[in-house]
Amino acid sequence: MSASLPQAADALERFANERLEALRDAGVTVDSAPDELRALCLGSNWAFEWLLRRPSALDRIVAEGGHRVAPDRAQLAAELDRALAGIDAGDPAPAGPLGAALRAFRNRQMIAILLRDLARHSDLRATTAALSDLAEVIIERTLGLLHPLAVADWGRPLARDGSEQRLVVVAMGKLGARELNLSSDIDLVFVHPERGVVEGGAGITCQEFFTRLGRRLIGLLDTRTPKGFVFRVDMRLRPFGDSGPLVQHLGAFLTYYEEQGRDWERYAFVKARAITGDAATVAALEAGLRPFVYRRYLDFGAIAALRDMKAMIRREVQRRGLETDVKLGSGGIREVEFVAQVFQLIHGGRDRALQRRGLLDVLPLLVRADLLERDEAERLREAYVFLRELEHRIQALDDAQTQRLPDDPETVERIAALMACDDATDFSERLAAHRAVVARSFTDLIRPAEEDDDGEAEPWRVLWQLVAGADGYPGAGPDDAHALELLAAGGFSDREAALARLVALAERRRTVITQDIGRQRLDALLPLLLEAVVGAERPDVALERSLRLVEAVLRRTAYLVLLLENPGALDLLVRLTAGSERIAAVLARHPILLDELLDSRALLTVPTRESLAEELAAQLADLPVGDLEAQMEQLRYFKVATELRVAACELAELLPLMKVSDALSWLAEVVLEQVVRLAWDETEAQYGAPSKADGSPSGLAFGVVGYGKLGGLELGWGSDLDLVFLHDLPAKGMTHGDRSVANGQFMARMGQRMIHLLSTRTFTGQLYEVDLRLRPSGRSGVLVAGVEAFAGYQRDEAWTWEHQALVRARFVAGAASVASAFEAVRREILGRERDRRRLCEEVLAMRDRMLAEHRLSRDPERLATRAELDLKQDAGAVVDIEFMVQFLVLGWARAHPELLAYTDAIRILETAAAEGILGAEDAETLVESYKAFRAEAHRAALQDQPARSDRADLLARAEGVERLWSRIMTPAPRGPARAGAD
């Protein structure tokens, strides 16, 4: 036996030898491909008989190398062109010369594919790609020949602009995914670009023209003649199925799916791909279908339909007795595909990487997205490859469209040998093991919700039925004794208020939700929600905040399904909203963020700057190049989703205050980095690259400096960004583009784009409020200053308060050259020699103005009697500490440049203590007070409360800071050697 079939039985050896002898007797040059022919004799009755009738065909295949290596697409097209050269294409009849030539070409290529596949020169991917290439090349070339014949017969189909329209052939199913098998139907859908007109000829419409053309194409490919067929064609996936028109123009086609498309059609279009047509029409087709197939939110609303499809698949297996069918039977190919496509339909709108057609490409992406465990995905991959190869072995036997295992033992032994199994028993055991893997994954997928019901929600089911009533009949009122009793038993403090909220929701259920399916989803969710709320630390708060979200999505009940299908996400929602008013409000405004609750591990993983940068870059890389709207939306989603993660980590006490601020600051930095790139690319595309000093085109020469909280790595919840934009190019240069402008104008447009990208509100909100008033000359200054102009302003014109602001300024995004230039200016300005007495007087004056603006003062009587502290602005609070830090840097950095290493208050205070500028005890008092004030402000922000507190310990800390303020911020004739020294 050949080494490719090492375990074949003696009977199989005799069978193969007898067939080889028969081929030799018929004149086939057997020695030219002995191993491949031996495998072919075992694996394909059809190919064996075809070669007996055409003994010279093998010589041509071997001469071209087709028995071992597949031709690429261009070579295949060239071979078809040679095969059709000289053929009378004027007769489109299936039995005519063109039909005969196509059938001969198809059969010869199929023999070559079988030789490679059965001898294992091709793996599954290579075989399905070769089959798909064959179908596509035949369709393209045949349509190319038929179109001019149709024009000659019926006239020229024109678009509104006078251009000639062409038929768009959309490949569905296996062909669309380039996974065609040896005996597949090709599922097609036809579209033409627009309604248009037909010029000259028979006076028909464009739809009639392309319908006739489509029928000719189908006839040439599908009709069985004495020479066979080319490909079986199935058109039932078109709009309205067999009862619908064969061809529609693009507008009508997309309108159908927008208005009437069903869930099974979404499932079918996951693999759809246009294989002919002009680029503009194909792009419009794909763009129009994408939102139908892939919802932009996690589409758990499709689960009920998918669950029904799953049940239908199982019923069909039982009804039709398909247990031996490796495609349709339990644990078969269709179930593997269903597992992958369910995840694609639900998650593909949010994760565009999942919008792939080929199953072997999708499985590793599902692992990357944490939707499948790596081991399960690998087992499914192995099962799929085994089952698809087995499908090919079955179909190769007689070129028949079947996936059923044959009944006779001899044929099973032949298949076992070609599947590299020891014998039929080994084959059966391996097949059963693979099918068990698939069946288990299929069974575990989207189980009916009732299978997970533990019965603990029953009292809350009773309560909701009592409150909601039956459709058409009012439910319980706000004083219903039974309902109040149930709420009291659940631990609600204000049971009347809780019941009133439920009664209000029941009323909205009747008036807002218009479809029965929506009401059913709400009715299924509410008992589970109430069960989760009762388990919260503060049920009343948890109920009020959770119901706010439910009310926000009553018209988008797919979100209710998301929570219904994911009990862990529901529990996490209740915990987060109970813990934070801010989170509750954000989720109610952006329910799309519920997606993030599906994976609690990811949600509660503390982000790093590197992980945030990688994650955002990957998300943007998945978007279509140049789609600015999608990029803006993705940036906003990433920002609010990351803030949700940070808040969840803070509530779970995984992130202390300092780390929360770090994470929020890192988030702003990575967002700014991407915004800079987008803005630069957009501006450069419009005007060309700006010029460097030598006149050559410049790369990125723009930078962003963060001031205030961003500069000090101290961003909090809801903080805006204090930014300054800089560049390091000569203002008089010109850009290198068709719309050339001066460098200065380029940078002004760049700054405007930055503001637009950061501030524009989209579906998911805006990125950040931006404050640019700290730029040189404030509002009257240029939007983007050159580094040299910035340095000159800081040296000669800036006020002391602007130098104070520079203490907390930090380069955060953009070109490295701008970063180094800015840092040099910062060190120069902050390291100046200063008159400390005068400096202190100017800092005190600025601080007094700020207190007055906030209607606060340092009046001793007020300080002695105040019962509440403004955590940021009050005397002895955060701003006092920040002003002391700024005074220390401006007054002592000349002698102690180590003070310039950091921009955050805490590390500057620690450095001041280490340098002996500030006493260690004083520094510790300021550091600990600063942390305590900001931590309390963070807690207030999470509850959307003002940053104020009446806590006695914080008031005492403010008194301690005030005492240090009095010592440190006292003008002295020469200034003490150490700040605050007596």
Side-chain angles (χ1 to χ4, degrees), residues 171-174 176-177 179 187 237 257 261-273 289-295 299 302-303 305-313 316 327-328 332-346 354-359 362 384 438 442 445-446:
M172 309 288 286
K174 291 286 195 302
E179 296 171 337
D187 296 292
L237 292 177
Y257 292 108
R262 290 157 288 180
D263 285 291
W264 70 262
E265 289 173 304
R266 292 181 55 209
Y267 184 87
F269 271 94
V270 167
K271 294 180 181 291
R273 179 172 57 91
L289 283 173
R290 188 176 293 114
F292 165 66
V293 180
Y294 296 107
R295 309 297 197 236
D299 189 16
I303 281 185
L306 293 169
R307 185 179 281 128
D308 290 343
M309 286 177 63
K310 174 182 164 182
M312 181 186 69
I313 289 170
E316 182 184 15
K327 176 183 178 182
L328 304 177
I333 294 166
R334 183 165 64 173
E335 291 188 0
V336 188
E337 295 171 335
F338 187 82
V339 170
Q341 286 179 253
V342 163
F343 286 124
Q344 286 181 276
L345 282 179
I346 294 173
L354 297 179
Q355 296 181 14
R356 301 287 289 272
R357 299 180 179 93
L359 183 132
V362 170
Y384 178 76
V438 175
F442 182 80
L445 188 71
I446 54 176

Side-chain angles (χ1 to χ4, degrees), residues 463-633:
L463 173 64
W464 180 244
Q465 288 174 350
L466 188 66
V467 172
D471 282 336
Y473 299 94
D479 56 354
D480 185 272
H482 188 190
L484 292 170
E485 181 181 336
L486 288 170
L487 289 166
F492 288 90
S493 300
D494 190 345
R495 56 183 186 164
E496 289 81 7
L499 180 55
R501 292 189 181 99
L502 292 171
V503 169
L505 178 62
E507 177 60 27
R508 287 176 60 80
R509 173 191 179 277
R510 287 187 287 272
T511 59
V512 173
I513 306 179
T514 58
Q515 295 183 330
D516 289 342
I517 184 65
R519 297 191 189 98
Q520 291 165 10
R521 290 170 175 177
L522 181 63
D523 294 344
L525 175 65
L526 252 293
L528 302 179
L529 176 66
L530 287 165
E531 180 188 358
V533 161
V534 167
E537 185 176 341
R538 297 185 296 167
D540 297 83
V541 172
L543 180 66
E544 186 272 327
R545 293 176 179 174
S546 300
L547 289 186
R548 208 185 313 159
L549 169 70
V550 171
E551 290 173 351
V553 298
L554 285 181
R555 286 189 175 91
R556 293 174 286 172
T557 56
Y559 288 120
L560 302 182
V561 181
L562 183 154
L563 296 171
L564 185 62
E565 297 287 343
N566 295 275
L570 179 61
D571 290 341
L572 190 54
L573 167 72
V574 171
R575 287 194 349 244
L576 291 176
T577 53
S580 169
E581 167 62 25
R582 179 180 181 82
I583 291 179
V586 168
L587 287 172
R589 280 199 306 274
H590 307 298
I592 193 172
L593 291 174
L594 290 174
D595 302 358
E596 303 300 318
L597 306 186
L598 295 175
D599 187 350
S600 60
R601 293 172 304 171
L603 186 69
L604 297 176
T605 297
V606 176
T608 64
R609 192 190 190 289
E610 292 72 23
S611 69
L612 290 174
E614 290 172 4
E615 186 179 345
L616 179 55
Q619 290 180 12
L620 292 175
D622 288 337
L623 301 179
V625 176
D627 190 342
L628 184 61
E629 181 179 349
Q631 291 165 336
M632 290 174 67
E633 190 59 47

Side-chain angles (χ1 to χ4, degrees), residues 819-837:
S820 58
F822 165 75
E823 183 57 28
V825 174
R826 179 178 180 274
R827 284 185 167 271
E828 174 198 335
I829 300 302
L830 298 183
R832 278 182 173 182
E833 185 70 49
R834 286 180 172 84
D835 182 323
R836 289 181 190 152
R837 177 183 178 83

Side-chain angles (χ1 to χ4, degrees), residues 312-338:
M312 181 186 69
I313 289 170
R314 281 288 162 91
R315 287 195 302 271
E316 182 184 15
V317 170
Q318 295 171 358
R319 181 179 62 83
R320 295 174 57 190
L322 298 173
E323 286 75 12
T324 62
D325 194 304
V326 299
K327 176 183 178 182
L328 304 177
S330 176
I333 294 166
R334 183 165 64 173
E335 291 188 0
V336 188
E337 295 171 335
F338 187 82

Side-chain angles (χ1 to χ4, degrees), residues 89 91-92 98 141-151 154 209 213 216-218 220:
D91 179 5
L98 176 59
R141 288 298 192 269
T142 304
L143 189 58
L145 292 171
L146 292 179
H147 183 88
L149 295 179
V151 169
W154 308 311
F209 175 94
L213 175 60
R216 279 187 177 179
L217 176 64
I218 294 168
L220 262 176

Side-chain angles (χ1 to χ4, degrees), residues 157-179:
L158 300 180
R160 283 167 296 181
D161 62 2
S163 62
E164 186 169 348
Q165 296 192 53
R166 295 279 180 167
L167 184 66
V168 179
V169 177
V170 181
M172 309 288 286
K174 291 286 195 302
L175 180 56
R178 293 185 53 77
E179 296 171 337

Side-chain angles (χ1 to χ4, degrees), residues 373-390:
E373 294 292 338
R374 187 174 301 279
D375 289 347
E376 182 180 8
E378 178 57 23
R379 288 194 297 270
L380 286 173
R381 186 197 68 79
E382 291 173 355
Y384 178 76
V385 171
F386 185 91
L387 292 168
R388 286 298 310 272
E389 289 184 343
L390 174 57

